Amino acid sequence: MVRMARLIDVTRCTACRGCQVTCKDWNQLPGEIGEFTGSYQSHMDNSPLRWTMIKFFEEEKSNGDVQWVFRKHSCNHCGDPGCLKACPNNALAKSELGAVYRIEENCIGCGYCVPFCPFDIPKIDEVNEKMKKCTFCIDRIANDLRPACEKTCMPGAIMYGSWDEMSALADKRLEAAQKRFPNAQIYGKNELGGLGNIYVLPDGPQNYELPVNPTLAPTLGMWKDIVQPFGNLAIAATLIGTGLAFLFTRRKAFVNVESSKLAEGGYHDEQKNDRAL
Amino acid sequence: MSKKMIERFSPAVRVAHWMYAISFITLAITGYMLFGTKLDWMAPMFGGIEGAMVVHRVAGVFLIAAIVLPLLMRPKDVFAWLGESIKITSADIGFLKTFPHKLLGIKKEIPPQGFYNGGEKINSLIQVVSGLVLITTGLIMWLSGPGTIAPLLHATFFVIATCGAIGHIYLALLNPVSNESINAMLHGKVSEKYMIENHGQWYNDVYKAEKN
């Protein structure tokens, strides 16, 4: 199977938030009334019940006008996902389609994945003790349907296809965007093994709450690659070691009893039998 | 040799020890469900691994209580134990040299030991150090989220503390050379013979003082 990707053309988004609504619709997530955010942005951040949202950014153009930029915020389905490696219970998996998804019964909402995501995507549902995030609509794309958000996007700001197709399309879109935004750039082609979301941004990623050079914490993987296997080994070795020592001491104790009994002239019942004879 | 029994651990010490031990075992079992998969068959007992995490936190509170209560109520006993444990003497080194033999149940001449022998001191220190790290990182994870370093330290010291505990349980329950000492933790008393053989230094100090 080919790795799939979404192209998120921020220069085309009109903030209709159709994707935000249709994501809730397909995934059966009830609506949440949030606090006032100070702008037209609907909520401050994603939540266990909100897997995608449009973030609003106000910028000043060179001529003094204000322009609005809208970025769809959702899981990027990294080529090298930190969350997956951080999960102690193998509750995260990566499909051949490139979707990083959660295995319901394995996830216990421990939250170990949260600090290892450079995009602050995993949200912990404290009530059900599960991590929740965008699934890349794996239930749809695995059945040759398009992701819900892409299907609903009117201005073509979200596109869906194979990673290579989207990568090529991003180059084309960039050319068009650069006419309006001289600083326009592509984000997500090289970051973390290539993201499942390739962005066309009007300006540098730092302006849109995206890390310029997303990196994974150095302690990532030490848990799974070192502490877990060697820890298991150490505990098993201790158990086996004490077990063997126990067998050894029992054998020795048995031999001691035997020899002392022999020295005394045999076992008690044997002595009795001798007398009886 | 007379069957005279000698008081070793006061009731307060024994209560603290068993509170800590029961909490520790509960914590180790429930914590291991996140660490590995070998105990997942036990999960239904706690209501799934999610339930085990709740039990883990409750047991954590009990373990902290097993440290804080003795510190508040019997600070002298606690500091006497800590003070003894950090004083590693040449007699302790001598004890540790014969430790492999002891482990295999072979009696060997040991230099006269204090109230705690070299092995008990090492065990105490393992538990004190790993206990401090486990409680600190555990509270951090509970109160402010896991972060990137706390789970790593928590897991590392879990392994150290658990290996220490397994050795401790083996020596106290199963090893024929040392398992008489379990009586000290159960009833508080150990035979005079055992004390003379295994804690000669302490026996001499106390009983010489008594005679004088």
Side-chain angles (χ1 to χ4, degrees):
Chain A
M1 270 189 274
V2 202
R3 184 178 177 195
M4 306 305 276
R6 281 178 297 204
L7 171 76
I8 295 179
D9 190 343
V10 174
T11 62
R12 283 212 192 187
C13 180
T14 61
C16 76
R17 292 178 277 208
C19 53
Q20 203 173 323
V21 173
T22 199
C23 175
K24 289 219 170 228
D25 192 21
W26 176 256
N27 293 302
Q28 302 184 348
L29 303 168
E32 290 171 300
I33 295 174
E35 283 170 25
F36 179 52
T37 60
S39 83
Y40 284 106
Q41 186 175 314
S42 60
H43 301 83
M44 293 306 285
D45 197 2
N46 282 340
S47 81
L49 295 174
R50 191 183 314 107
W51 300 347
T52 191
M53 65 173 292
I54 302 296
K55 291 208 168 189
F56 283 46
F57 301 94
E58 272 177 23
E59 289 180 343
E60 203 180 310
K61 280 199 237 174
S62 49
N63 62 7
D65 287 355
V66 171
Q67 81 176 9
W68 250 341
V69 176
F70 314 113
R71 180 175 69 82
K72 180 182 183 289
H73 182 58
S74 75
C75 176
N76 286 319
H77 300 276
C78 309
D80 183 15
C83 57
L84 194 149
K85 220 172 180 188
C87 179
N89 219 29
N90 297 325
L92 283 157
K94 199 170 160 220
S95 87
E96 284 177 38
L97 294 165
V100 179
Y101 64 101
R102 197 173 50 89
I103 299 161
E104 176 80 14
E105 59 270 28
N106 285 1
C107 181
I108 57 166
C110 66
Y112 283 20
C113 52
V114 176
F116 286 105
C117 176
F119 306 105
D120 193 23
I121 291 299
K123 300 289 172 208
I124 303 300
D125 179 349
E126 300 281 358
V127 178
N128 298 312
E129 295 186 338
K130 302 277 173 201
M131 182 276 277
K132 297 285 173 70
K133 71 167 190 70
C134 161
T135 64
F136 208 153
C137 277
I138 186 156
D139 44 354
R140 293 176 61 87
I141 64 171
N143 292 303
D144 289 331
L145 293 167
R146 294 142 67 198
C149 55
E150 187 266 352
K151 197 162 181 247
T152 205
C153 185
M154 300 289 277
I158 309 171
M159 302 295 281
Y160 170 73
S162 75
W163 199 89
D164 295 329
E165 271 169 37
M166 290 301 110
S167 174
L169 184 60
D171 293 334
K172 261 189 226 162
R173 289 280 184 93
L174 180 67
E175 242 171 68
Q178 268 166 341
K179 286 173 195 155
R180 278 171 62 211
F181 306 99
N183 279 338
Q185 48 191 275
I186 293 175
Y187 182 82
K189 272 197 188 183
N190 306 314
E191 283 79 3
L192 298 172
L195 302 183
N197 289 342
I198 302 172
Y199 295 87
V200 178
L201 300 173
D203 208 335
Q206 69 281 0
N207 297 359
Y208 311 111
E209 291 181 13
L210 286 171
V212 177
N213 234 328
T215 44
L216 300 172
T219 49
L220 175 70
M222 282 169 78
W223 205 95
K224 229 177 193 174
D225 296 341
I226 302 170
V227 179
Q228 214 172 15
F230 283 97
N232 269 324
L233 211 68
I235 294 171
T238 316
L239 280 172
I240 293 168
T242 49
L244 288 178
F246 176 62
L247 289 179
F248 184 84
T249 54
R250 284 296 116 167
R251 218 182 111 255
K252 240 182 99 356
F254 181 70
V255 170
N256 283 345
V257 170
E258 283 285 289
S259 54
S260 65
K261 285 292 173 191
L262 283 175
E264 281 172 18
Y267 280 95
H268 192 57
D269 51 347
E270 284 173 4
Q271 289 170 356
K272 240 185 209 168
N273 286 344
D274 286 346
R275 254 175 245 148
L277 285 167
Chain B
M1 189 66 64
S2 67
K3 277 267 173 171
K4 202 179 144 197
M5 299 300 271
I6 288 179
E7 170 89 16
R8 182 151 162 79
F9 293 122
S10 70
V13 173
R14 280 180 276 148
V15 167
H17 173 269
W18 289 114
M19 253 180 94
Y20 187 94
I22 292 166
S23 320
F24 184 90
I25 291 167
T26 314
L27 282 161
I29 289 172
T30 51
Y32 187 83
M33 287 178 192
L34 200 56
F35 184 88
T37 51
K38 308 270 185 323
L39 292 183
D40 282 3
W41 55 273
M42 278 175 139
M45 220 159 73
F46 303 98
I49 298 178
E50 295 95 327
M53 294 300 105
V54 177
V55 175
H56 192 75
R57 288 171 186 197
V58 175
V61 173
F62 272 92
L63 184 111
I64 293 171
I67 295 163
V68 172
L69 289 181
L71 265 176
L72 292 176
M73 296 165 74
R74 293 284 195 285
K76 255 190 205 164
D77 286 6
V78 177
F79 287 112
W81 161 62
L82 283 176
E84 267 279 290
S85 294
I86 51 175
K87 256 185 267 156
I88 304 282
T89 62
S90 57
D92 298 322
I93 307 289
F95 174 88
L96 292 176
K97 276 183 194 155
T98 65
F99 183 71
H101 292 90
K102 184 177 171 141
L103 200 65
L104 293 174
I106 301 165
K107 282 197 184 184
K108 249 203 153 184
E109 203 59 30
I110 49 167
Q113 299 289 304
F115 186 74
Y116 293 111
N117 65 38
E120 288 166 334
K121 285 182 183 177
I122 298 288
N123 177 58
S124 298
L125 291 177
I126 288 175
Q127 286 302 325
V128 169
V129 172
S130 50
L132 282 176
V133 177
L134 285 165
I135 289 170
T136 319
T137 54
L139 285 176
I140 289 173
M141 287 194 282
W142 188 351
L143 302 173
S144 72
T148 54
I149 297 160
L152 197 67
L153 286 174
H154 203 73
T156 308
F157 281 87
F158 155 73
V159 172
I160 295 169
T162 303
C163 289
I166 293 169
H168 177 65
I169 293 167
Y170 163 72
L171 289 166
L173 291 182
L174 301 175
N175 188 304
V177 178
S178 58
N179 67 357
E180 200 187 328
S181 60
I182 186 69
N183 294 315
M185 249 333 152
L186 290 176
H187 320 293
K189 285 179 177 165
V190 176
S191 72
E192 189 174 30
K193 179 172 173 267
Y194 181 84
M195 286 314 274
I196 292 168
E197 278 177 6
N198 291 280
H199 299 275
Q201 184 64 49
W202 174 84
Y203 187 83
N204 282 344
D205 289 352
V206 171
Y207 285 82
K208 261 185 194 159
E210 253 180 27
K211 273 172 200 166
N212 295 339

